[in-house]
Structures are given as structure tokens and as C-alpha cells.
Amino acid sequence: MSVPTVIIHRDADVLAKAVAARVVVRAVDAQSARGSAHLVLTGGTVGIATLAEIAASPARDAVDWRAVDLWWGDERFLPSGDAERNETGARKALLDHLDLAPERVHVMRGPDSGMTVEEAADAYAEELRRAARPGDHVPAPVFDLTMLGMGPDGHVASLFPGMPALYDTRPVVAVHGSPKPPPTRISLTLPVIRNSAEVWVIAAGEEKAEAVRAALSESGPMPVPAAGARGGSRTLFLLDRAAASKIPSS
């Protein structure tokens, strides 16, 4: 696993703009190397703001969006179109503004699919398995980029401190009893996240500062899930000044 690199921006607005620019470059680089790209999206305030900045950027047209597979790190188990779903926010901020191949937008299903949350998690795992390439070490593609927001408790995706999902070796799990509402969710697990080429942890705000400090320390993923979020070739902690305020100076 790669050692995290910390990059600090002035405030949350600048952070979103900077991350958006990085996403475009990462997608273009992946397509130049292989003809396609696999990107994992995140929700949250900065995550959705980042997607809106991509939509507003003329540079977005450098990406062949029909050759991009879009995935989610987690989703609230709510009906399609619910305002609380990460997918809903992503569609409004970015996806509805792009020429995408619908079959390459990999949505985690909600209760309106007729599935239980366990069945929906299994269905997503099967979708990941079908997208895996020969030589992949887990039953999922090697994501070119996984973007993760981080909560004040250090959670990433819907992997919360002390919960059994942190030990799970399956690629996707159903989450019950989330301490952050809604309580029922679907999440990628750490083995799939760590199988990504690049992992970016994105955080803004002073309330995230202690979790950022812990995630960059020797803490393990059980108390601080973000401490286990690492990419194979590159890990970035993309922060605003407030979120970076408790990182020890070197």
C-alpha cells in the first residue's frame, strides 16, 4: 500500500475546484493508457461540490465519458430518486450533464428494486465481479480512482468505527445500524478500496481535523476506518486548512 500524501487547500470551495481538476486529469490519463477508466464516486458536501465543479469545467470535455465506468463507494438503502441517495446528488451535480453510457453507470439498488439490502449488496458484488479483468486480485476491477469522503468519526464509505464490516472480506456488504442516518446502507469494503490504483480521502472543516490526524497516524482501521483507506500506487489526503489543522508539523 502507498504512503499517504497530504495536499492542503485554502478552503472547501478551493478544495472542490482542485479535486475536480485532478479527477479530469486522472480520467484522461487512465483512458490514454487503457482506453477506459473506472472511477468511484463519493457523496457528502465536498464530494457533490466536486462533481458540480467538474460539470462546470470546460476541461471535462477532455474525457470520453462514454468510456468511463462510474461506481459508488456506498449508498443509503433508499428508493431511487430519494434526495438522500448519493446517486441522486451525483446525477443532479454531474451525471445529467454528461453523455454517459447508461450501462456503465453502476448504481447500488434501493428497496424499490424489490431486493433486501443483503440482496442488493450481493447484486453489486456480482456487477463488480463481471467487471473484473484477468489478473485482478479481488473480484472487482482495479479502480483507477476511488474518492472517499470522511466523517468526523473517521468513517469512509459506510464503514464506521468498530463495526463488523471492517473485518469483512466480501467486496460489498449490507450495513445495519449505521450511527449516521439512515441506518441501512450498502458499502464497498476495505479489500476492494485497497485494490484501487489511487485512493483520495477528501475532507473539509475543523470538525474533521482530529479524524484526519488519527487517520494519518498509526491508528488501525477498526478505530479509524480512514486509516485503512490506501491505494496501491497512490494515496492522497486532499484537505482544506481547517481539516488539516491538527496534523503534526514535521
Side-chain angles (χ1 to χ4, degrees):
M1 294 295 99
S2 57
V3 175
T5 297
V6 177
I7 299 173
I8 302 169
H9 297 282
R10 183 178 67 243
D11 55 36
D13 289 341
V14 174
L15 174 62
K17 288 179 171 63
V19 176
R22 287 182 177 275
V23 171
V24 170
V25 172
R26 182 70 186 124
V28 169
D29 287 349
Q31 289 184 335
S32 295
R34 223 181 37 255
S36 62
H38 286 268
L39 308 179
V40 178
L41 306 182
T42 185
T45 302
V46 178
I48 297 300
T50 295
L51 299 184
E53 291 293 346
I54 295 171
S57 171
R60 80 179 201 198
D61 294 334
V63 179
D64 177 4
W65 291 101
R66 293 194 66 82
V68 174
D69 281 85
L70 296 175
W71 305 84
W72 273 265
D74 73 321
E75 186 58 275
R76 290 87 181 262
F77 192 63
L78 297 168
S80 300
D82 190 289
E84 293 300 309
R85 280 178 61 88
N86 291 332
E87 175 207 354
T88 304
R91 288 192 183 279
K92 183 177 180 181
L94 176 61
L95 275 58
D96 289 347
H97 307 283
L98 300 175
D99 179 22
L100 296 166
E103 70 276 10
R104 302 185 84 154
V105 179
H106 305 278
V107 174
M108 292 178 172
R109 300 176 197 181
D112 53 320
S113 67
M115 295 181 175
T116 66
V117 65
E118 285 80 12
E119 290 169 340
D122 288 345
Y124 209 67
E126 175 59 20
E127 204 163 340
L128 287 168
R129 187 195 65 77
R130 290 197 304 267
R133 296 181 290 267
D136 288 347
H137 298 296
V138 300
V142 175
F143 299 124
D144 297 291
L145 168 61
T146 294
M147 291 183 283
L148 299 168
M150 187 190 68
D153 60 354
H155 84 265
V156 290
S158 283
L159 302 174
F160 294 90
M163 295 192 74
L166 289 165
Y167 288 121
D168 211 304
T169 58
R170 292 173 295 172
V172 186
V173 292
V175 176
H176 296 277
S178 161
K180 180 180 179 181
T184 308
R185 297 161 174 250
I186 300 170
S187 183
L188 300 185
T189 58
L190 285 178
V192 172
I193 290 170
R194 289 170 171 163
N195 194 53
S196 307
E198 296 198 12
V199 170
W200 302 355
V201 178
I202 306 163
E206 189 175 0
E207 71 278 8
K208 310 283 182 72
E210 182 58 36
V212 167
R213 184 202 63 76
L216 292 169
S217 72
E218 296 301 315
S219 298
M222 183 52 68
V224 187
R230 302 290 186 265
S233 63
R234 195 181 195 200
T235 302
L236 298 181
F237 271 66
L238 300 166
L239 313 169
D240 72 352
R241 287 177 181 169
S245 61
K246 293 189 178 180
I247 299 174
S249 56
S250 55

